[in-house]
């Protein structure tokens, strides 16, 4: 069964460093999302991406964050200068038809980011 | 604004018993979808079941069923014949139709522990 993959599974970084989280969506999916989950808290939407553009972003997704699809397969989330509060699990999710309500978003296994 | 409320931080259930996990929602959109995801201790998010706001019947997927009461704005997940492997965090999520708004809004989750 096709699945969303994410790398790395874990990342430890120093405050102020840049990190890039990578996601490989399911091959025929066109809509991509990043969510984050701070330890013990609920999953929060960060950004949605379609047709090489951001379609929506949350207030969490400030200028320190960026997304791109550099090579037509990977979908990346970059955090330019990490802060302690960026420590969280980051999930990539993808769907084939973003506009349909019932379209399931399939989540990757997550990247656990720890900022020291 | 859309909101999901899960009032049970934790639940215990005996193996082979049924359990109901509560979820209430708030939205002014007439069209919306409700999802349940399971998050085991390993961290991944596993899609379980979907209910659309216009669906006439309650959704069922194997041992999972959704008790959808639209007037009460509730979408409770029922797990029948609980198994030890059902021990996990369960999140209710909503998606409302609003053009570019394809994001999922999650509740705070319910931690289910299945006891032998």
């Amino acid at each position: 069964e096709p699945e969303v993959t994410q790398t790395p599974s874990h990342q430890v970084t120093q405050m102020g460093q840049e990190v890039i989280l990578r996601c490989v969506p399911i091959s025929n999916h066109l809509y991509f999302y990043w969510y984050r989950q701070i330890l013990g808290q609920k999953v929060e939407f960060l950004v949605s991406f379609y047709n090489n553009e951001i379609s929506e972003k949350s207030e969490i997704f400030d200028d320190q964050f960026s997304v791109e699809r550099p090579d037509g397969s990977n979908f990346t989330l970059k955090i330019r200068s990490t802060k302690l509060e960026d420590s969280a699990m980051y999930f990539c999710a993808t769907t084939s038809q973003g506009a349909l309500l019932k379209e399931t978003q399939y989540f990757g296994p997550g990247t656990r980011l720890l900022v020291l | 604004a859309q909101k999901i409320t899960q009032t049970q931080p934790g639940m215990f259930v005996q193996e082979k018993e049924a359990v109901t996990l509560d979820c209430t929602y708030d939205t002014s959109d007439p069209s919306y979808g409700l999802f349940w995801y399971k998050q085991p201790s390993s961290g991944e998010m596993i899609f379980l079941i979907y209910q659309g706001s216009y669906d006439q019947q309650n959704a069922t997927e194997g041992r999972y069923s959704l008790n959808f009461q639209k007037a009460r704005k509730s979408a409770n997940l029922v797990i029948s014949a609980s198994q030890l492997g059902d021990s996990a965090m369960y999140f209710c999520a909503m998606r409302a139709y609003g053009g570019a708004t394809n994001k999922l809004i999650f509740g705070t989750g319910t931690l289910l522990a299945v006891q032998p």
Side-chain angles (χ1 to χ4, degrees):
Chain A
E1 187 176 320
E3 58 183 20
V4 179
T5 59
Q6 289 185 243
T7 54
S9 58
H10 295 78
Q11 175 128 20
V12 182
T13 190
Q14 296 268 348
M15 192 170 58
Q17 295 294 303
E18 175 184 284
V19 295
I20 298 176
L21 310 183
R22 291 183 170 79
C23 168
V24 178
I26 295 172
S27 63
N28 63 340
H29 284 194
L30 302 174
Y31 294 80
F32 314 120
Y33 310 83
W34 284 103
Y35 293 83
R36 79 168 186 194
Q37 184 183 29
I38 294 171
L39 188 63
Q41 297 187 22
K42 66 179 177 181
V43 178
E44 301 173 290
F45 167 76
L46 290 178
V47 66
S48 59
F49 189 85
Y50 168 68
N51 202 24
N52 284 321
E53 287 184 348
I54 290 174
S55 45
E56 187 179 1
K57 59 183 181 180
S58 72
E59 57 204 23
I60 303 168
F61 194 88
D62 62 21
D63 292 344
Q64 292 300 312
F65 291 89
S66 63
V67 288
E68 65 175 357
R69 199 153 185 237
D71 56 11
S73 59
N74 287 292
F75 175 52
T76 62
L77 174 69
K78 183 192 291 185
I79 310 175
R80 265 181 265 284
S81 177
T82 48
K83 307 193 246 318
L84 296 176
E85 54 265 36
D86 293 328
S87 295
M89 178 79 105
Y90 288 81
F91 291 104
C92 172
T94 77
T95 187
S96 60
Q97 297 286 336
L100 293 177
L101 272 177
K102 67 177 182 181
E103 195 68 26
T104 299
Q105 289 184 18
Y106 291 93
F107 282 70
T111 293
R112 191 172 294 283
L113 176 66
L114 178 60
V115 182
L116 302 175
Chain B
Q2 291 118 25
K3 189 177 178 184
I4 292 281
T5 302
Q6 294 180 256
T7 56
Q8 305 155 313
M11 293 275 289
F12 284 104
V13 66
Q14 291 292 122
E15 199 177 3
K16 299 179 186 172
E17 302 269 310
V19 63
T20 298
L21 307 183
D22 294 341
C23 172
T24 58
Y25 60 91
D26 190 21
T27 180
S28 55
D29 291 293
S31 298
Y32 51 88
L34 295 155
F35 300 79
W36 278 91
Y37 283 84
K38 173 184 177 181
Q39 186 179 41
S41 56
S42 49
E44 71 268 33
M45 296 285 285
I46 303 167
F47 165 72
L48 294 178
I49 195 167
Y50 165 83
Q51 178 83 47
S53 59
Y54 292 118
D55 291 345
Q56 295 297 312
Q57 294 187 321
N58 287 343
T60 60
E61 287 286 348
R63 293 187 299 111
Y64 304 108
S65 61
L66 216 149
N67 183 3
F68 181 48
Q69 297 187 47
K70 195 170 180 178
R72 293 185 175 184
K73 292 192 173 180
S74 74
N76 299 338
L77 176 71
V78 181
I79 306 174
S80 62
S82 298
Q83 300 171 357
L84 295 177
D86 293 334
S87 294
M89 196 74 165
Y90 289 81
F91 289 98
C92 180
M94 177 169 65
R95 189 173 173 199
Y97 183 72
T101 305
N102 299 317
K103 66 188 179 198
L104 287 172
I105 296 160
F106 286 84
T108 50
T110 296
L111 182 61
L112 178 67
V114 181
Q115 296 177 315

